[in-house]
PDB file of all heavy atoms in Angstrom:
ATOM      1  N   ALA B 425      54.536  21.136  -2.172  1.00 90.00           N
ATOM      2  CA  ALA B 425      56.003  21.237  -2.311  1.00 90.00           C
ATOM      3  C   ALA B 425      56.703  20.556  -1.103  1.00 90.00           C
ATOM      4  O   ALA B 425      57.718  19.898  -1.371  1.00 90.00           O
ATOM      5  CB  ALA B 425      56.378  22.709  -2.475  1.00 90.00           C
ATOM      6  N   PRO B 426      56.318  20.844   0.120  1.00 88.00           N
ATOM      7  CA  PRO B 426      57.125  20.224   1.185  1.00 88.00           C
ATOM      8  C   PRO B 426      57.097  18.737   1.173  1.00 88.00           C
ATOM      9  O   PRO B 426      58.109  18.084   1.447  1.00 88.00           O
ATOM     10  CB  PRO B 426      56.356  20.790   2.442  1.00 88.00           C
ATOM     11  CG  PRO B 426      55.559  21.908   2.018  1.00 88.00           C
ATOM     12  CD  PRO B 426      55.283  21.638   0.576  1.00 88.00           C
ATOM     13  N   THR B 427      55.935  18.119   0.861  1.00 88.00           N
ATOM     14  CA  THR B 427      55.887  16.639   0.927  1.00 88.00           C
ATOM     15  C   THR B 427      56.431  15.983  -0.297  1.00 88.00           C
ATOM     16  O   THR B 427      56.863  14.841  -0.319  1.00 88.00           O
ATOM     17  CB  THR B 427      54.455  16.166   1.148  1.00 88.00           C
ATOM     18  OG1 THR B 427      53.549  16.923   0.290  1.00 88.00           O
ATOM     19  CG2 THR B 427      53.986  16.344   2.531  1.00 88.00           C
ATOM     20  N   CYS B 428      56.388  16.695  -1.443  1.00 89.00           N
ATOM     21  CA  CYS B 428      56.796  16.045  -2.791  1.00 89.00           C
ATOM     22  C   CYS B 428      58.271  16.504  -3.107  1.00 89.00           C
ATOM     23  O   CYS B 428      58.761  15.948  -4.075  1.00 89.00           O
ATOM     24  CB  CYS B 428      55.845  16.442  -3.849  1.00 89.00           C
ATOM     25  SG  CYS B 428      54.243  15.777  -3.605  1.00 89.00           S
ATOM     26  N   GLY B 429      58.795  17.448  -2.393  1.00 87.00           N
ATOM     27  CA  GLY B 429      60.198  17.760  -2.644  1.00 87.00           C
ATOM     28  C   GLY B 429      60.438  18.578  -3.926  1.00 87.00           C
ATOM     29  O   GLY B 429      61.482  18.390  -4.533  1.00 87.00           O
ATOM     30  N   TYR B 430      59.525  19.470  -4.280  1.00 90.00           N
ATOM     31  CA  TYR B 430      59.887  20.387  -5.357  1.00 90.00           C
ATOM     32  C   TYR B 430      59.883  21.830  -4.722  1.00 90.00           C
ATOM     33  O   TYR B 430      59.517  22.005  -3.610  1.00 90.00           O
ATOM     34  CB  TYR B 430      58.920  20.321  -6.534  1.00 90.00           C
ATOM     35  CG  TYR B 430      57.436  20.518  -6.234  1.00 90.00           C
ATOM     36  CD1 TYR B 430      56.879  21.824  -6.244  1.00 90.00           C
ATOM     37  CD2 TYR B 430      56.605  19.505  -5.881  1.00 90.00           C
ATOM     38  CE1 TYR B 430      55.536  22.000  -5.981  1.00 90.00           C
ATOM     39  CE2 TYR B 430      55.270  19.652  -5.689  1.00 90.00           C
ATOM     40  CZ  TYR B 430      54.735  20.935  -5.734  1.00 90.00           C
ATOM     41  OH  TYR B 430      53.408  21.138  -5.475  1.00 90.00           O
ATOM     42  N   GLY B 431      60.422  22.790  -5.471  1.00 88.00           N
ATOM     43  CA  GLY B 431      60.556  24.119  -4.900  1.00 88.00           C
ATOM     44  C   GLY B 431      60.000  25.190  -5.784  1.00 88.00           C
ATOM     45  O   GLY B 431      59.324  24.900  -6.748  1.00 88.00           O
ATOM     46  N   ASP B 432      60.375  26.414  -5.511  1.00 90.00           N
ATOM     47  CA  ASP B 432      59.889  27.585  -6.229  1.00 90.00           C
ATOM     48  C   ASP B 432      60.249  27.578  -7.702  1.00 90.00           C
ATOM     49  O   ASP B 432      59.437  27.992  -8.549  1.00 90.00           O
ATOM     50  CB  ASP B 432      60.451  28.883  -5.628  1.00 90.00           C
ATOM     51  CG  ASP B 432      59.825  29.128  -4.249  1.00 90.00           C
ATOM     52  OD1 ASP B 432      58.803  28.518  -3.949  1.00 90.00           O
ATOM     53  OD2 ASP B 432      60.430  29.863  -3.482  1.00 90.00           O
ATOM     54  N   ALA B 433      61.408  27.016  -8.015  1.00 91.00           N
ATOM     55  CA  ALA B 433      61.822  26.954  -9.410  1.00 91.00           C
ATOM     56  C   ALA B 433      60.818  26.110 -10.242  1.00 91.00           C
ATOM     57  O   ALA B 433      60.425  26.434 -11.338  1.00 91.00           O
ATOM     58  CB  ALA B 433      63.252  26.414  -9.514  1.00 91.00           C
ATOM     59  N   GLU B 434      60.421  24.919  -9.634  1.00 91.00           N
ATOM     60  CA  GLU B 434      59.533  24.082 -10.340  1.00 91.00           C
ATOM     61  C   GLU B 434      58.129  24.728 -10.492  1.00 91.00           C
ATOM     62  O   GLU B 434      57.525  24.578 -11.512  1.00 91.00           O
ATOM     63  CB  GLU B 434      59.368  22.765  -9.593  1.00 91.00           C
ATOM     64  CG  GLU B 434      60.503  21.723  -9.825  1.00 91.00           C
ATOM     65  CD  GLU B 434      61.648  21.944  -8.882  1.00 91.00           C
ATOM     66  OE1 GLU B 434      61.625  23.031  -8.157  1.00 91.00           O
ATOM     67  OE2 GLU B 434      62.575  21.121  -8.820  1.00 91.00           O
ATOM     68  N   VAL B 435      57.778  25.459  -9.491  1.00 92.00           N
ATOM     69  CA  VAL B 435      56.478  26.153  -9.540  1.00 92.00           C
ATOM     70  C   VAL B 435      56.478  27.204 -10.636  1.00 92.00           C
ATOM     71  O   VAL B 435      55.564  27.290 -11.440  1.00 92.00           O
ATOM     72  CB  VAL B 435      56.078  26.852  -8.177  1.00 92.00           C
ATOM     73  CG1 VAL B 435      54.926  27.719  -8.264  1.00 92.00           C
ATOM     74  CG2 VAL B 435      55.866  25.759  -7.117  1.00 92.00           C
ATOM     75  N   ALA B 436      57.623  27.923 -10.723  1.00 93.00           N
ATOM     76  CA  ALA B 436      57.718  28.932 -11.758  1.00 93.00           C
ATOM     77  C   ALA B 436      57.720  28.283 -13.121  1.00 93.00           C
ATOM     78  O   ALA B 436      56.998  28.868 -14.096  1.00 93.00           O
ATOM     79  CB  ALA B 436      59.034  29.749 -11.506  1.00 93.00           C
ATOM     80  N   GLY B 437      58.364  27.162 -13.216  1.00 92.00           N
ATOM     81  CA  GLY B 437      58.406  26.440 -14.518  1.00 92.00           C
ATOM     82  C   GLY B 437      56.984  25.987 -14.891  1.00 92.00           C
ATOM     83  O   GLY B 437      56.542  26.117 -16.106  1.00 92.00           O
ATOM     84  N   ALA B 438      56.230  25.479 -13.896  1.00 92.00           N
ATOM     85  CA  ALA B 438      54.885  25.040 -14.161  1.00 92.00           C
ATOM     86  C   ALA B 438      54.019  26.230 -14.654  1.00 92.00           C
ATOM     87  O   ALA B 438      53.174  26.061 -15.595  1.00 92.00           O
ATOM     88  CB  ALA B 438      54.309  24.381 -12.911  1.00 92.00           C
ATOM     89  N   LEU B 439      54.102  27.391 -13.963  1.00 92.00           N
ATOM     90  CA  LEU B 439      53.331  28.534 -14.368  1.00 92.00           C
ATOM     91  C   LEU B 439      53.649  28.905 -15.838  1.00 92.00           C
ATOM     92  O   LEU B 439      52.769  29.254 -16.558  1.00 92.00           O
ATOM     93  CB  LEU B 439      53.697  29.685 -13.440  1.00 92.00           C
ATOM     94  CG  LEU B 439      53.029  29.639 -12.016  1.00 92.00           C
ATOM     95  CD1 LEU B 439      53.701  30.649 -11.110  1.00 92.00           C
ATOM     96  CD2 LEU B 439      51.522  29.842 -12.161  1.00 92.00           C
ATOM     97  N   GLU B 440      54.955  28.774 -16.138  1.00 91.00           N
ATOM     98  CA  GLU B 440      55.359  29.078 -17.501  1.00 91.00           C
ATOM     99  C   GLU B 440      54.695  28.146 -18.472  1.00 91.00           C
ATOM    100  O   GLU B 440      54.154  28.567 -19.504  1.00 91.00           O
ATOM    101  CB  GLU B 440      56.917  28.942 -17.515  1.00 91.00           C
ATOM    102  CG  GLU B 440      57.487  29.449 -18.866  1.00 91.00           C
ATOM    103  CD  GLU B 440      57.510  30.981 -18.889  1.00 91.00           C
ATOM    104  OE1 GLU B 440      57.754  31.616 -17.836  1.00 91.00           O
ATOM    105  OE2 GLU B 440      57.307  31.483 -19.984  1.00 91.00           O
ATOM    106  N   ARG B 441      54.748  26.847 -18.180  1.00 89.00           N
ATOM    107  CA  ARG B 441      54.161  25.845 -19.080  1.00 89.00           C
ATOM    108  C   ARG B 441      52.724  26.036 -19.368  1.00 89.00           C
ATOM    109  O   ARG B 441      52.299  25.826 -20.496  1.00 89.00           O
ATOM    110  CB  ARG B 441      54.366  24.457 -18.504  1.00 89.00           C
ATOM    111  CG  ARG B 441      55.720  23.836 -18.776  1.00 89.00           C
ATOM    112  CD  ARG B 441      55.644  22.323 -18.505  1.00 89.00           C
ATOM    113  NE  ARG B 441      55.387  22.022 -17.116  1.00 89.00           N
ATOM    114  CZ  ARG B 441      56.280  22.020 -16.137  1.00 89.00           C
ATOM    115  NH1 ARG B 441      57.608  22.300 -16.476  1.00 89.00           N
ATOM    116  NH2 ARG B 441      55.910  21.791 -14.920  1.00 89.00           N
ATOM    117  N   ILE B 442      51.989  26.431 -18.390  1.00 88.00           N
ATOM    118  CA  ILE B 442      50.498  26.592 -18.623  1.00 88.00           C
ATOM    119  C   ILE B 442      50.107  28.079 -18.922  1.00 88.00           C
ATOM    120  O   ILE B 442      48.924  28.375 -18.946  1.00 88.00           O
ATOM    121  CB  ILE B 442      49.637  26.022 -17.440  1.00 88.00           C
ATOM    122  CG1 ILE B 442      50.095  26.685 -16.160  1.00 88.00           C
ATOM    123  CG2 ILE B 442      49.761  24.512 -17.373  1.00 88.00           C
ATOM    124  CD1 ILE B 442      49.192  26.255 -14.954  1.00 88.00           C
ATOM    125  N   GLY B 443      51.117  28.879 -19.156  1.00 86.00           N
ATOM    126  CA  GLY B 443      50.864  30.287 -19.575  1.00 86.00           C
ATOM    127  C   GLY B 443      50.147  31.134 -18.548  1.00 86.00           C
ATOM    128  O   GLY B 443      49.422  31.956 -18.826  1.00 86.00           O
ATOM    129  N   LEU B 444      50.507  30.847 -17.210  1.00 87.00           N
ATOM    130  CA  LEU B 444      49.848  31.666 -16.187  1.00 87.00           C
ATOM    131  C   LEU B 444      50.865  32.469 -15.360  1.00 87.00           C
ATOM    132  O   LEU B 444      50.568  32.829 -14.244  1.00 87.00           O
ATOM    133  CB  LEU B 444      49.053  30.672 -15.175  1.00 87.00           C
ATOM    134  CG  LEU B 444      47.808  30.065 -15.821  1.00 87.00           C
ATOM    135  CD1 LEU B 444      47.129  29.150 -14.799  1.00 87.00           C
ATOM    136  CD2 LEU B 444      46.785  31.138 -16.330  1.00 87.00           C
ATOM    137  N   SER B 445      52.056  32.617 -15.941  1.00 87.00           N
ATOM    138  CA  SER B 445      53.087  33.363 -15.165  1.00 87.00           C
ATOM    139  C   SER B 445      52.547  34.766 -14.768  1.00 87.00           C
ATOM    140  O   SER B 445      52.863  35.225 -13.646  1.00 87.00           O
ATOM    141  CB  SER B 445      54.347  33.559 -16.051  1.00 87.00           C
ATOM    142  OG  SER B 445      54.867  32.297 -16.324  1.00 87.00           O
ATOM    143  N   GLY B 446      51.772  35.351 -15.597  1.00 87.00           N
ATOM    144  CA  GLY B 446      51.260  36.689 -15.273  1.00 87.00           C
ATOM    145  C   GLY B 446      50.142  36.673 -14.270  1.00 87.00           C
ATOM    146  O   GLY B 446      49.716  37.715 -13.789  1.00 87.00           O
TER     147      GLY B 446
END
Side-chain angles (χ1 to χ4, degrees):
Chain B
T427 44
C428 295
Y430 57 89
D432 290 342
E434 281 86 351
V435 170
L439 284 168
E440 189 73 37
R441 273 196 298 279
I442 54 176
L444 290 180
S445 296

